[in-house]
Amino acid sequence: MTIHHDLSPTLNLIRLPNGEGLDLPAYESKGAAGMDLRAAIDEATPLMLLPGKRALVPTGFIFEIPEHFEGQVRPRSGLAFKNGITCLNSPGTVDSDYRGEVKVLLANLGEEPFVIERGMRIAQMVIAPVTQVRVAEITEASETLRGAGGFGSTGV
Ligand SMILES: O=c1ccn([C@H]2C[C@H](O)[C@@H](COP(=O)(O)OP(=O)(O)OP(=O)(O)O)O2)c(=O)[nH]1
Ligand SMILES: [Mg+2]
Protein backbone atom coordinates (compact mmCIF):
# COMPACT_ATOMS: atom_id res chain seq x y z
CA MET A 1 0.00 0.00 0.00
CA THR A 2 1.35 3.44 -0.88
CA ILE A 3 0.31 6.44 1.14
CA HIS A 4 1.05 10.00 0.09
CA HIS A 5 0.15 13.18 1.87
CA ASP A 6 0.75 16.50 0.18
CA LEU A 7 3.01 17.57 3.01
CA SER A 8 4.94 14.31 3.25
CA PRO A 9 8.64 14.59 2.59
CA THR A 10 9.91 12.36 -0.22
CA LEU A 11 12.12 9.40 0.54
CA ASN A 12 14.43 8.73 -2.40
CA LEU A 13 15.66 5.17 -2.73
CA ILE A 14 18.39 3.65 -4.83
CA ARG A 15 17.94 -0.01 -5.67
CA LEU A 16 21.14 -2.03 -5.43
CA PRO A 17 21.83 -5.16 -7.51
CA ASN A 18 20.85 -7.45 -4.61
CA GLY A 19 17.53 -5.56 -4.38
CA GLU A 20 16.53 -6.40 -8.00
CA GLY A 21 12.95 -7.65 -8.08
CA LEU A 22 12.15 -6.90 -4.45
CA ASP A 23 9.05 -4.87 -3.55
CA LEU A 24 9.86 -1.32 -2.49
CA PRO A 25 9.70 -0.76 1.27
CA ALA A 26 6.03 0.03 1.88
CA TYR A 27 3.50 0.97 4.52
CA GLU A 28 1.31 -2.10 4.86
CA SER A 29 -1.74 -0.29 6.22
CA LYS A 30 -3.21 3.18 5.93
CA GLY A 31 -1.96 4.28 9.32
CA ALA A 32 1.22 2.23 9.53
CA ALA A 33 4.05 4.11 11.23
CA GLY A 34 6.76 2.03 9.64
CA MET A 35 7.55 0.71 6.17
CA ASP A 36 8.44 -2.93 6.12
CA LEU A 37 11.96 -3.82 5.04
CA ARG A 38 12.72 -7.01 3.15
CA ALA A 39 15.70 -9.33 3.26
CA ALA A 40 17.82 -8.84 0.13
CA ILE A 41 19.70 -12.08 0.51
CA ASP A 42 20.42 -14.71 -2.10
CA GLU A 43 17.31 -16.65 -3.11
CA ALA A 44 19.27 -19.90 -3.15
CA THR A 45 20.88 -19.32 0.24
CA PRO A 46 18.35 -18.71 3.03
CA LEU A 47 19.93 -17.45 6.23
CA MET A 48 19.63 -19.67 9.25
CA LEU A 49 19.78 -17.58 12.43
CA LEU A 50 20.57 -19.83 15.37
CA PRO A 51 19.36 -19.06 18.91
CA GLY A 52 21.55 -16.42 20.55
CA LYS A 53 23.15 -15.39 17.23
CA ARG A 54 22.94 -12.19 15.20
CA ALA A 55 23.21 -11.32 11.51
CA LEU A 56 23.45 -8.12 9.50
CA VAL A 57 20.80 -8.54 6.82
CA PRO A 58 20.90 -6.29 3.73
CA THR A 59 17.74 -4.55 2.47
CA GLY A 60 18.90 -3.99 -1.13
CA PHE A 61 18.40 -0.22 -0.97
CA ILE A 62 20.22 3.00 -0.22
CA PHE A 63 17.84 5.37 1.56
CA GLU A 64 18.27 9.10 1.06
CA ILE A 65 16.61 10.08 4.33
CA PRO A 66 15.42 13.70 4.06
CA GLU A 67 17.42 16.27 6.00
CA HIS A 68 16.19 16.81 9.58
CA PHE A 69 14.80 13.26 9.68
CA GLU A 70 16.19 9.88 10.67
CA GLY A 71 15.25 6.33 9.83
CA GLN A 72 14.52 4.14 12.85
CA VAL A 73 14.94 0.44 12.17
CA ARG A 74 12.63 -1.43 14.48
CA PRO A 75 11.62 -5.05 15.02
CA ARG A 76 8.33 -6.46 13.76
CA SER A 77 6.26 -7.48 16.74
CA GLY A 78 4.95 -10.65 15.08
CA LEU A 79 8.45 -12.03 14.52
CA ALA A 80 9.43 -10.98 18.03
CA PHE A 81 6.40 -12.63 19.63
CA LYS A 82 6.33 -15.81 17.58
CA ASN A 83 10.03 -16.40 16.98
CA GLY A 84 12.04 -14.20 19.37
CA ILE A 85 13.48 -12.25 16.41
CA THR A 86 14.42 -8.67 17.19
CA CYS A 87 16.78 -5.92 16.09
CA LEU A 88 19.76 -6.05 18.39
CA ASN A 89 20.41 -2.29 18.19
CA SER A 90 16.75 -1.35 18.31
CA PRO A 91 15.89 1.21 17.27
CA GLY A 92 18.64 1.25 14.66
CA THR A 93 19.52 4.75 13.56
CA VAL A 94 19.88 5.60 9.88
CA ASP A 95 21.41 9.06 9.53
CA SER A 96 20.22 11.43 6.82
CA ASP A 97 23.77 11.64 5.45
CA TYR A 98 24.27 7.86 5.22
CA ARG A 99 24.69 6.68 1.64
CA GLY A 100 25.43 3.02 2.21
CA GLU A 101 22.98 0.14 2.02
CA VAL A 102 20.53 0.02 4.91
CA LYS A 103 21.02 -3.19 6.86
CA VAL A 104 19.06 -4.79 9.66
CA LEU A 105 20.90 -6.24 12.64
CA LEU A 106 18.69 -9.18 13.49
CA ALA A 107 19.12 -11.26 16.63
CA ASN A 108 17.45 -14.50 17.56
CA LEU A 109 16.46 -14.39 21.23
CA GLY A 110 14.19 -17.41 20.76
CA GLU A 111 14.89 -21.08 21.39
CA GLU A 112 14.60 -22.31 17.81
CA PRO A 113 16.66 -21.61 14.70
CA PHE A 114 14.92 -19.06 12.44
CA VAL A 115 15.23 -19.22 8.66
CA ILE A 116 15.22 -15.93 6.73
CA GLU A 117 14.27 -16.18 3.06
CA ARG A 118 14.81 -13.61 0.33
CA GLY A 119 12.01 -11.02 0.33
CA MET A 120 10.87 -11.80 3.87
CA ARG A 121 9.70 -8.72 5.78
CA ILE A 122 12.23 -8.69 8.59
CA ALA A 123 11.89 -5.24 10.20
CA GLN A 124 10.28 -1.86 9.71
CA MET A 125 11.58 1.65 9.28
CA VAL A 126 9.96 4.68 10.87
CA ILE A 127 10.96 8.08 9.47
CA ALA A 128 11.07 10.48 12.39
CA PRO A 129 12.01 14.15 12.80
CA VAL A 130 15.33 14.93 14.42
CA THR A 131 16.42 18.02 16.27
CA GLN A 132 20.12 18.74 16.44
CA VAL A 133 20.86 20.95 19.40
CA ARG A 134 23.68 23.32 20.09
CA VAL A 135 25.85 21.95 22.91
CA ALA A 136 26.94 24.35 25.65
CA GLU A 137 28.96 23.45 28.75
CA ILE A 138 27.77 25.18 31.95
CA THR A 139 28.86 24.99 35.60
CA GLU A 140 25.52 24.75 37.47
CA ALA A 141 22.27 23.03 36.54
CA SER A 142 18.98 24.84 37.17
CA GLU A 143 16.96 23.72 40.23
CA THR A 144 13.91 21.48 39.85
CA LEU A 145 11.52 19.62 42.17
CA ARG A 146 12.82 16.29 40.92
CA GLY A 147 16.41 17.22 41.42
CA ALA A 148 18.68 14.20 41.05
CA GLY A 149 15.92 11.68 41.82
CA GLY A 150 15.49 9.08 39.12
CA PHE A 151 15.44 5.36 38.45
CA GLY A 152 12.24 4.75 40.40
CA SER A 153 12.44 7.69 42.82
CA THR A 154 8.69 8.40 42.39
CA GLY A 155 7.72 4.86 43.42
CA VAL A 156 6.17 2.02 41.44
O1 LIG B 1 20.16 -0.63 12.00
C1 LIG B 1 20.97 0.09 11.39
C2 LIG B 1 21.78 1.03 12.05
C3 LIG B 1 22.68 1.77 11.30
N1 LIG B 1 22.78 1.60 9.94
C4 LIG B 1 23.69 2.42 9.15
C5 LIG B 1 23.06 3.78 8.88
C6 LIG B 1 23.67 4.69 9.90
O2 LIG B 1 23.67 6.02 9.44
C7 LIG B 1 25.05 4.07 10.04
C8 LIG B 1 25.72 4.35 11.35
O3 LIG B 1 24.89 3.90 12.39
P1 LIG B 1 25.23 4.25 13.91
O4 LIG B 1 25.58 5.69 14.04
O5 LIG B 1 24.14 3.70 14.75
O6 LIG B 1 26.49 3.31 14.16
P2 LIG B 1 27.95 3.67 14.69
O7 LIG B 1 28.46 2.45 15.33
O8 LIG B 1 27.92 4.94 15.49
O9 LIG B 1 28.70 3.85 13.30
P3 LIG B 1 29.32 5.21 12.68
O10 LIG B 1 30.61 5.39 13.40
O11 LIG B 1 29.46 4.87 11.23
O12 LIG B 1 28.34 6.32 12.92
O13 LIG B 1 24.87 2.66 9.88
C9 LIG B 1 21.96 0.69 9.29
O14 LIG B 1 22.02 0.51 8.08
N2 LIG B 1 21.09 -0.05 10.03
MG1 LIG C 1 27.26 6.83 14.72
Side-chain angles (χ1 to χ4, degrees), residues 18-77:
N18 60 327
E20 265 328 304
L22 285 186
D23 287 349
L24 283 175
Y27 297 102
E28 298 290 336
S29 73
K30 187 162 180 286
M35 321 171 234
D36 285 352
L37 304 175
R38 293 174 183 272
I41 54 175
D42 191 0
E43 185 110 57
T45 325
L47 184 68
M48 167 126 29
L49 196 52
L50 296 175
K53 298 296 181 189
R54 59 184 182 268
L56 201 51
V57 184
T59 63
F61 291 93
I62 293 169
F63 287 60
E64 223 178 64
I65 307 278
E67 238 186 299
H68 308 298
F69 290 84
E70 61 160 333
Q72 298 177 351
V73 181
R74 303 188 190 174
R76 293 188 67 208
S77 54

Side-chain angles (χ1 to χ4, degrees), residues 103-119:
K103 295 183 179 171
V104 178
L105 183 51
L106 286 184
N108 185 352
L109 304 184
E111 276 125 47
E112 305 291 332
F114 183 73
V115 177
I116 301 158
E117 314 258 7
R118 179 175 179 77

Side-chain angles (χ1 to χ4, degrees), residues 73 89 92-95 97-98 101-105:
V73 181
N89 56 337
T93 305
V94 179
D95 302 292
D97 58 354
Y98 178 66
E101 180 176 17
V102 168
K103 295 183 179 171
V104 178
L105 183 51

Side-chain angles (χ1 to χ4, degrees), residues 74-92:
R74 303 188 190 174
R76 293 188 67 208
S77 54
L79 292 181
F81 179 55
K82 290 182 207 142
N83 306 102
I85 298 298
T86 191
C87 299
L88 189 57
N89 56 337
S90 187

